[in-house]
Amino acid sequence: MMLRSLLLGAAMAAMTPLPAHAATSDDGHPVLMNAAALSGLGTQAARYPLYAEELARVRKEVEAAMRAGVNVPVPKDAGGGFSHEQHKRNYMALYGAGLLYRLTGERRYADYARDMLMAYAGLYPTLGPHPAASNQAAGRLFWQSLNDSVWLVYGVQGYDAVREALTPQERKTIDDKVFRKMAEFLSTGSPKVFDRIHNHATWANAGVGMTGYVLRDADLVEKALKGLDKSGKAGFLRQLDLLFSPDGYYAEGPYYQRYALQPFVIFAAAIEANEPQRHIFAYRDGIVLKAIRTTIQLTYGGYFFPLNDAVPDKSLKTEELYQAVAIGYGMTRDPALLSIAQWQDRTVLSPQGLEVARDLAAGKARPFPFASMLLRDGPQGDRGGLAILRDGPGNEDQVLLAKNTAQGMGHGHFDKLNWLLYDNGQAVVTDYGAARFLNIEAKDGGRYLPENETWAKQTVAHNTLVVEETSHFGGDEKRADALAPRQLFFSAEGETRASIAEMKEAWPGVTFRRALLQVKVEGLKSPMIVDLLKVTGGKAARYDLPLHYAGQLIDTGFPLQSNVTTRPVLGKADGYQHLWVDATGKPDAANGVVTWIQAGRFYSYRIATPGVTMILGESGANDPRFNLRREPFVMQRLDGAKDAAFVSLLEPHGRYDAAAETTTGSDSAVSAFTHARQDGVDVITITLRDGRRVILAVADDVAPDTAHSLLVAGSSLKWKGPVGRLDLAATKAGETAK
């Protein structure tokens, strides 16, 4: 009842008109931070190593900027170019100088921030659209307005910290010629961006809203919270409603959840500081705090799952997460967040950052509870989901990821029911992520490359079904946004964990369902993965099922026809033009296995799909500018079938120690792998070399309470829900299995 009352109060506060700012006069006193709490914190830094290190780092960077002098260049370059990078350095130096002024009281930091902002006051009013603008909304300081919003988020925090130290005339000049003009450009001057439901708008809303607080302009704050017309159909609160699922999963996927998280948490902290009656951290059942924890769950070994448009080397060691962990800890005192700060080996120069450093030094950290979970997608949680199956909480424990989410707007890929696998601390079944070299000028100024559209987003670049060599929804984003998978079943319990999902109309008249099972077997170091993908098409078609993997091919169980003098390309469009074909083969029921090695562990990919052709190859064809990474794939191809069942097994095994020059367990522990249909159930049998059998039953009926029974291998199998399992011991000749 108390929680319900709190949430009702938060909702009511969010609907009421914004009151005038609490400050009775504009004396320049900071409003985005607790100035009293920051004052003199520099003297305490030495007591807490993490805080002392951050103070030293920021001081070093700001001092270097001060020695270099104020440099506010006329905007010219795209990402990675001098003017772009200098304006980035400037907002970080401005932000750092403001914090240092508050922490140390040294006037020179405020003077430096003032001098920089006065230079911007001379430049900014003269600027038009950026000369290097491309297909994004043009900024003034940067090639896209998103970067201008980021500048404003950082810049206004630095300004807030020093504003009190400036004369009234200096404040007026900077207010009117820098921050008010920026806020106007990013709001009323960019309505299509500002009122979008998108991460670009999140940054703009946060920057404009925080500027509103600093300038004591309630109208700017209200527009940031509720959209330009203040109706609530857009703005920060509406983004909290629509961009996150009830579980805190962000619509565009983990990479953009990381990026968007910073403006969400920083603006929320500013709202809490200025209008606590809004109870922003309780809004929508505490969605901001949920999003922080969910963002951390979307990692393996600290690195984000590279779904949709993602750069695969992004980790929790990023400015967005330093801020989020500190603010989250300040609100919750959750000791698990301390272990993340410990892994990051960073915090921020704020009162919350000091609390993180202090409590870490006091030994209060507890392991973050990485766990198996289903993260629903969509505002109501009814547009599929991301199924995470972890074999343990550690950085080397296996993680199976089933991507059964909605499209993810413009940054989404056409990869319904895709999957990834991490094992032994490594990516094993991989996702390409985005074709982009972030902020590298030589690669189109760090923008998304043309190959992001022709390869990275296309279905064949992922580990999921392709029909007639065409991508899901014909590569049409609007069609893709209209339809989403259904998560039919999820279980993280017991020795067989499972995700089952279904996608309809990715192609007209086609339905496919995928069950991914994480199967623990006694004596095996890591679980095996069983993949059952069934497609109902209604007419004869070409079905392809690619698997992109990391590692070096070791062996195949079937003969190969290798292309040794020529390297043909697999197709002409929809990503197929970027795939070289190195070899093909026709496995039979006994030899359909491909083995590779990755980071000292072997992986055997075994199929029980009759009639397929196996295609082995590599990405990177038709890439004259070398924009694509060369990565291997194996593909099952089935021609002329109306309906099909692709049945696959991925088995981790053995170890290769290069230092000791020893190899153990390089041969698969599996001797046979079969699939059969029986009474509306798919029966999959894994026979081990020691004679044991693991029989898995996957029912068409996915209701969790439905009881099933079958007679298999002479034994009775009874279970509830769609997935059952029977383990049979090795039998001697003449014995009956038990």
Side-chain angles (χ1 to χ4, degrees):
M1 182 64 72
M2 184 179 296
L3 177 60
R4 183 179 177 186
S5 299
L6 178 62
L7 297 177
L8 180 60
M12 292 299 291
M15 292 186 290
T16 57
L18 181 69
H21 195 277
T24 57
S25 64
D26 187 1
D27 57 3
H29 187 75
V31 297
L32 300 180
M33 60 183 69
N34 187 330
L38 274 175
S39 179
L41 280 186
T43 61
Q44 300 183 46
R47 297 166 56 190
Y48 311 120
L50 202 63
Y51 204 77
E53 290 167 9
E54 182 64 9
L55 179 59
R57 187 192 67 80
V58 174
R59 192 191 293 270
K60 180 180 179 181
E61 290 186 358
V62 172
E63 295 282 357
M66 292 170 67
R67 286 193 300 272
V70 171
N71 186 349
V72 178
V74 174
K76 175 185 176 183
D77 307 300
F82 172 76
S83 66
H84 179 97
E85 294 304 310
Q86 183 60 39
H87 288 299
K88 283 175 58 180
R89 286 189 288 268
N90 284 349
Y91 70 63
M92 291 304 297
L94 174 58
Y95 174 66
L99 291 173
L100 289 173
Y101 171 65
R102 283 292 156 188
L103 284 164
T104 68
E106 295 181 38
R107 173 75 197 206
R108 62 196 184 98
Y109 294 122
D111 290 345
Y112 170 71
R114 176 203 61 207
D115 293 347
M116 183 193 296
L117 288 170
M118 291 299 284
Y120 273 105
L123 173 69
Y124 194 80
T126 71
L127 300 178
H130 194 282
S134 182
N135 59 342
Q136 297 284 358
R140 294 290 188 262
L141 294 174
F142 300 94
W143 66 276
Q144 61 171 345
S145 65
L146 169 63
N147 299 79
D148 286 52
S149 297
V150 176
W151 194 104
L152 184 56
V153 166
Y154 279 98
V156 78
Q157 292 180 83
Y159 180 44
D160 180 57
V162 303
R163 192 167 178 266
E164 188 178 32
L166 308 187
T167 67
Q169 185 55 50
E170 288 168 340
R171 288 205 298 266
K172 179 171 174 53
T173 298
I174 295 168
D175 285 358
D176 294 346
K177 293 187 176 183
V178 181
F179 290 100
R180 193 170 296 282
K181 283 195 175 295
M182 279 192 179
E184 288 173 354
F185 163 62
L186 292 169
S187 58
T188 55
S190 307
K192 290 184 179 179
V193 174
F194 193 76
D195 277 352
R196 285 182 74 186
I197 305 299
H198 192 268
N199 77 78
H200 288 207
T202 307
W203 281 95
N205 293 165
V208 170
M210 292 162 70
T211 300
Y213 284 131
V214 172
L215 301 186
R216 278 62 169 177
D217 187 333
D219 184 63
L220 277 181
V221 178
E222 196 75 356
K223 287 175 179 176
L225 289 170
K226 299 182 180 178
L228 291 175
D229 65 2
K230 306 177 190 174
S231 68
K233 294 179 181 177
F236 185 75
L237 296 175
R238 194 62 176 153
Q239 294 198 52
L240 286 174
D241 291 337
L242 297 181
L243 285 176
F244 291 102
S245 79
D247 300 324
Y249 179 78
Y250 183 73
E252 295 178 282
Y255 180 83
Y256 276 94
Q257 176 145 348
R258 165 206 59 85
Y259 185 65
L261 189 64
Q262 184 171 358
F264 276 116
V265 298
I266 288 177
F267 191 26
I271 295 167
E272 182 72 15
N274 287 273
E275 298 182 88
Q277 73 275 11
R278 286 189 182 275
H279 302 289
I280 190 64
F281 283 103
Y283 185 80
R284 203 181 162 213
D285 195 27
I287 195 65
V288 173
L289 296 173
K290 277 186 183 178
I292 294 171
R293 293 186 175 97
T294 295
T295 304
I296 296 168
Q297 290 284 359
L298 294 170
T299 61
Y300 181 77
Y303 287 83
F304 288 99
F305 301 136
L307 305 179
N308 294 335
D309 280 345
V311 177
D313 56 2
K314 280 291 185 182
S315 76
L316 292 168
K317 293 184 178 182
T318 181
E319 188 66 30
E320 298 88 356
L321 268 295
Y322 302 144
Q323 296 278 358
V325 168
I327 290 171
Y329 185 71
M331 291 300 301
T332 66
R333 299 296 189 277
D334 179 357
L337 292 175
L338 295 177
S339 68
I340 300 302
Q342 192 170 38
W343 186 88
Q344 294 171 318
D345 198 27
R346 282 276 300 274
T347 189
V348 293
L349 295 184
S350 67
Q352 299 99 322
L354 182 72
E355 291 171 358
V356 167
R358 179 196 65 205
D359 291 352
L360 259 179
K364 294 183 179 180
R366 296 294 179 268
F368 191 85
F370 288 103
S372 298
M373 59 182 59
L374 175 65
L375 295 170
R376 294 170 293 170
D377 197 4
Q380 306 303 318
D382 57 358
R383 292 181 60 76
L386 189 70
I388 306 172
L389 293 169
R390 295 184 186 269
D391 190 41
N395 289 340
E396 296 190 354
D397 293 322
Q398 188 186 95
V399 175
L400 167 64
L401 190 70
K403 184 178 183 276
N404 305 324
T405 55
Q407 180 65 16
M409 302 187 289
H411 288 299
H413 288 190
F414 300 100
D415 62 341
K416 302 303 100 178
L417 312 195
N418 181 23
W419 73 290
L420 289 77
L421 185 73
Y422 296 85
D423 186 67
N424 192 34
Q426 305 292 320
V428 176
V429 176
T430 61
D431 192 292
Y432 190 89
R436 183 186 193 187
F437 293 81
L438 190 62
N439 276 348
I440 295 180
E441 189 175 15
K443 291 296 187 180
D444 288 8
R447 300 181 181 98
Y448 288 101
L449 297 163
E451 289 79 8
N452 200 55
E453 300 297 321
T454 62
W455 164 249
K457 285 189 174 184
Q458 301 297 328
T459 303
V460 76
H462 303 86
N463 310 302
T464 190
L465 179 72
V466 188
V467 179
E468 295 291 1
E469 298 187 16
T470 60
S471 285
H472 297 172
F473 314 105
D476 186 319
E477 181 188 325
K478 290 184 178 179
R479 283 179 54 199
D481 276 333
L483 298 169
R486 287 195 305 145
Q487 183 75 38
L488 302 177
F489 178 75
F490 177 81
S491 174
E493 304 300 322
E495 299 297 286
T496 303
R497 309 182 186 102
S499 165
I500 303 176
E502 184 175 86
M503 186 69 222
K504 294 183 177 180
E505 298 299 315
W507 299 269
V510 174
T511 295
F512 66 107
R513 178 182 290 193
R514 190 169 214 168
L516 286 160
L517 313 180
Q518 190 180 48
V519 183
K520 290 178 68 71
V521 177
E522 185 179 352
L524 300 187
K525 190 172 182 63
S526 287
M528 294 188 285
I529 306 300
V530 171
D531 176 17
L532 170 64
L533 190 152
K534 298 168 63 178
V535 53
T536 305
K539 61 180 181 180
R542 166 170 283 179
Y543 296 136
D544 289 336
L545 184 61
L547 184 89
H548 300 267
Y549 64 91
Q552 173 65 49
L553 184 68
I554 295 296
D555 193 18
T556 64
F558 50 92
L560 292 176
Q561 295 179 329
S562 296
N563 301 314
V564 293
T565 58
T566 61
R567 208 179 191 193
V569 175
L570 190 56
K572 296 181 178 180
D574 285 29
Y576 280 74
Q577 75 274 26
H578 291 300
L579 290 174
W580 280 305
V581 178
D582 291 321
T584 59
K586 294 284 290 185
D588 59 34
N591 66 6
V593 61
V594 175
T595 299
W596 67 87
I597 188 170
Q598 163 72 335
R601 184 168 289 181
F602 297 92
Y603 295 89
S604 289
Y605 181 60
R606 190 178 298 268
I607 68 165
T609 313
V612 299
T613 297
M614 297 293 280
I615 301 171
L616 283 70
E618 189 177 54
S619 62
N622 287 303
D623 180 25
R625 294 181 57 209
F626 296 90
N627 285 337
L628 294 176
R629 300 189 302 271
R630 276 50 175 160
E631 297 180 346
F633 74 93
V634 58
M635 177 185 289
Q636 300 181 55
R637 168 165 285 181
L638 189 60
D639 276 318
K642 292 183 179 180
D643 304 327
F646 290 92
V647 189
S648 316
L649 174 71
L650 184 60
E651 173 203 357
H653 58 93
R655 185 172 186 270
Y656 170 67
D657 187 331
E661 299 183 1
T662 59
T663 301
T664 56
S666 60
D667 292 331
S668 168
V670 176
S671 62
F673 178 60
T674 63
H675 166 251
R677 285 283 291 174
Q678 187 175 337
D679 299 333
V681 176
D682 289 279
V683 179
I684 297 166
T685 302
I686 305 167
T687 303
L688 302 179
R689 293 192 181 277
D690 62 11
R692 290 181 294 159
R693 282 177 290 172
V694 178
I695 299 174
L696 302 165
V698 182
D700 296 343
D701 183 345
V702 294
D705 295 326
T706 301
H708 302 275
S709 64
L710 282 179
L711 185 65
V712 292
S715 298
S716 176
L717 171 58
K718 296 182 179 180
W719 76 99
K720 204 178 256 192
V723 179
R725 172 172 172 169
L726 179 65
D727 287 76
L728 298 177
T731 58
K732 296 179 181 179
E735 287 186 346
T736 302
K738 295 183 180 179

